Amino acid sequence: MPDPVSSPHPAPHPHATPPPPHATPAPTAATAVRASPAAAAPALIERAGIEVIAESERTAKPHHLFWPWFAANVSVFGMSYGSWILDFGISFVQATVVALIGIVVSFGLCGLIAIAGKRGSAPTMVLSRAAFGVHGQKLPGIASWLTSIGWETMLAISAVLATATVFSALGLPSGTGVLIAATLVIAALIVLASVLGYHTIIRLQSVLTWLTGAMTIGFMTLTVPHIDLGAVLAHPSGSTQQVIGALVMVMTGFGLGWINIAADWSRYQRRDTSDGKIVVWNTIGGSAAPAILVVFGLLLAGSDDGLRAAVGDDPVGALASILPLWALVPFLLTAVLSLVSGAVLGIYSSGLTLLSLGINIPRPLAAAIDGVILTVATIWVVFFAQSFIGPFQSFLITLGVPLAAWAGILIADVLSRRREYDEAALFDPAGRYGSVDWVSVTTMVAASLIGWGLVVNGFADDAAWNNWQGYLLGPLGGRDGDWAYANLGVLVALVLAFGVTWFARKRTIRRQEEVAVP
């Protein structure tokens, strides 16, 4: 979605006997939790959709969570955030504090959502039905699907633009033909891994982690001479409002950009795994690489105003411009593979979200459909959009508000529960979670409306469709006041939704848990 984006990998998870290749009925209360006989090894293509993972397949260890999250975030793209953070007008020290706090806290929130995956062994948007109801969940489900599609498209766009920039620097053709070819190849890589599913992705991420990690270190080593500490430290300090604005952008660009898929990768964990270990490994895996990369990006962007400006149109390509010619091909491979790694997580989960909305098709087909959408969207942005970062940041804030509200509700729900999920009821509107939980639905809508009123579209020329926001900023100085670009709405939506849910749904949750899970 900022932006939004495995091994030693888990021992092979025995898969159930694969169903026939045609579409199978959506899980029902009777079939969703049925255990399946174990096979000798995972099938090449993961057949599991949104149903609860069989007990025999929940063999992953907490530290296995490190690999998919680390691989998806050890990307040179993360360095681009150094430019975007400094664009808020803050100093290097302020920017460093903002980056470290925003990255770690946002991935910590992902870790809290991941607890639900361990407890319920189902995708995030299915487990969210416990808070919203089986049909009420479709409201945040649509927002989640749009966010995932946006993130994976953004990563694919970055890879395509980087390819063209590197080709041009090498004196190779870099026109329309190269852009189209790069789009198709990159989209094919993303879709293929996503269609194959969880087990393939885990193995793929384990390889990409070491490969891209090593090559990223090489990039950093080559560009250290480009850093001018005097110029970096000369950036003046910004106001409290500017610091908060940068913090919100970092949180939405990192952890909050992934939070709607956090439980998708913990659903293969054993039920007796410690909640604390789930949170810790999710947080370390997600934040370890970005924390280093963003600070390094701050040093590069703070040293060169020209580089900082170029990042807005071509984030990864701009970074390539400061490399020696011989390093461009390895850099391109690193950039593309790391961006593909992040997009694979997004498109895999967007397919699961599509199924959770009631689309009755096999999971591989859902991933393929999202892949077609990704390809079309990438072509449109690469060939027709006038700016990259403007619409992207506008998109982040707009969808970040309802997603933050949803996250606040689900985190409060997860922390309030004392028993395992009733897995059958997650698929039964007549079960204990009901069809629609109007408290959660109303809370999400209200928190989103309040949140949108406290953010503004800072890219009106590039994203005029977002100029309706900021209607509650009058008491804070209006759309041109100091608080206008602090993006308070994201934090307000998160905290408000959490607080309301924590107190308003206590009795509902206790009532749901009165009867033991069968």
Side-chain angles (χ1 to χ4, degrees):
M1 164 125 263
D3 42 237
V5 19
S6 329
S7 192
H9 46 269
H13 304 308
H15 243 300
T17 302
H22 52 75
T24 54
T28 64
T31 64
V33 298
R34 184 174 57 202
S36 303
L44 175 62
I45 299 178
E46 180 193 18
R47 298 290 182 175
I50 60 172
E51 65 268 24
V52 173
I53 300 301
E55 199 72 41
S56 61
E57 297 184 54
R58 301 171 193 152
T59 58
K61 303 292 180 62
H63 68 270
H64 294 152
L65 290 171
F66 175 85
W67 302 105
W69 289 111
F70 187 87
N73 289 282
V74 59
S75 168
V76 290
F77 180 80
M79 297 182 194
S80 303
Y81 277 85
S83 295
W84 300 330
I85 294 172
L86 290 177
D87 283 345
F88 279 87
I90 61 179
S91 69
F92 171 74
V93 173
Q94 289 175 320
T96 301
V97 172
V98 159
L100 296 179
I101 292 177
I103 291 169
V104 174
V105 170
S106 62
F107 277 110
L109 296 177
C110 280
L112 294 176
I113 297 290
I115 292 174
K118 184 267 295 189
R119 291 179 181 174
S121 301
T124 312
M125 288 298 140
V126 172
L127 297 168
S128 183
R129 292 173 177 176
F132 284 85
V134 175
H135 294 312
Q137 167 56 29
K138 291 179 181 179
L139 173 64
I142 292 172
S144 172
W145 183 76
L146 289 172
T147 301
S148 294
I149 286 289
W151 268 109
E152 64 206 29
T153 301
M154 177 275 300
L155 294 172
I157 291 166
S158 298
V160 171
L161 293 177
T163 301
T165 299
V166 171
F167 270 46
S168 177
L170 291 172
L172 300 173
S174 57
T176 301
V178 170
L179 289 173
I180 292 176
T183 300
L184 295 178
V185 170
I186 289 166
L189 290 173
I190 295 169
V191 174
L192 177 61
S194 304
V195 166
L196 292 177
Y198 174 85
H199 303 287
T200 297
I201 293 172
I202 291 294
R203 290 176 174 83
L204 176 67
Q205 302 292 56
S206 69
V207 175
L208 291 181
T209 292
W210 295 106
L211 180 62
T212 59
M215 297 175 78
T216 300
I217 291 173
F219 169 83
M220 295 170 68
T221 302
L222 289 172
T223 55
V224 164
H226 196 79
I227 295 173
D228 181 349
L229 283 178
V232 171
L233 297 176
H235 285 262
S237 297
S239 65
T240 300
Q241 295 90 330
Q242 290 169 309
V243 170
I244 293 175
L247 175 65
V248 173
M249 188 202 69
V250 171
M251 292 183 68
T252 54
F254 286 97
L256 290 183
W258 295 102
I259 200 166
N260 59 313
I261 71 171
D264 297 357
W265 302 96
S266 56
R267 62 191 178 124
Y268 281 89
Q269 294 286 321
R270 292 172 54 91
R271 296 291 183 85
D272 57 0
T273 301
S274 160
D275 290 351
K277 290 181 179 179
I278 295 292
V279 175
V280 167
W281 281 107
N282 201 105
T283 305
I284 293 175
S287 62
I292 297 172
L293 293 173
V294 174
V295 172
F296 191 81
L298 288 170
L299 292 170
L300 290 177
S303 302
D304 186 342
D305 289 338
L307 173 66
R308 198 169 116 201
V311 164
D313 293 322
D314 181 4
V316 180
L319 294 171
S321 68
I322 61 176
L323 285 172
L325 195 63
W326 63 265
L328 290 180
V329 172
F331 172 81
L332 176 62
L333 290 174
T334 303
V336 170
L337 289 176
S338 61
L339 291 167
V340 165
S341 178
V344 165
L345 262 66
I347 201 170
Y348 173 82
S349 290
S350 69
L352 293 175
T353 300
L354 194 62
L355 297 179
S356 76
L357 293 174
I359 308 298
N360 186 19
I361 57 177
R363 184 206 61 78
L365 179 56
I369 290 173
D370 283 353
V372 172
I373 296 173
L374 173 146
T375 303
V376 172
T378 301
I379 290 174
W380 182 83
V381 172
V382 169
F383 289 98
F384 303 106
Q386 299 301 311
S387 173
F388 176 81
I389 188 57
F392 173 55
Q393 288 213 55
S394 190
F395 156 81
L396 271 183
I397 296 301
T398 301
L399 283 181
V401 170
L403 204 61
W406 166 83
I409 292 168
L410 192 58
I411 290 171
D413 184 86
V414 169
L415 296 180
S416 297
R417 295 191 179 276
R418 298 293 179 266
R419 293 188 175 184
E420 300 294 332
Y421 290 100
D422 183 343
E423 296 167 349
L426 291 171
F427 300 88
D428 182 7
R432 70 179 72 197
Y433 304 126
S435 176
V436 178
D437 187 302
W438 289 108
V439 172
S440 292
V441 170
T442 303
T443 299
M444 180 176 174
V445 171
S448 298
L449 290 174
I450 293 171
W452 279 326
L454 295 173
V455 299
V456 295
N457 178 23
F459 305 91
D461 293 336
D462 299 326
W465 46 272
N466 256 352
N467 291 343
W468 54 272
Q469 298 168 344
Y471 44 80
L472 297 178
L473 285 167
L476 297 177
R479 295 171 184 265
D480 297 320
D482 292 339
W483 285 103
Y485 298 97
N487 295 321
L488 280 176
V490 176
L491 293 181
V492 168
L494 175 68
V495 174
L496 178 61
F498 176 88
V500 171
T501 302
W502 181 261
F503 292 104
R505 297 193 69 249
K506 281 279 189 180
R507 290 185 180 180
T508 300
I509 293 173
R510 295 288 81 82
R511 189 165 57 250
Q512 290 175 350
E513 296 184 329
E514 284 177 356
V515 180
V517 175

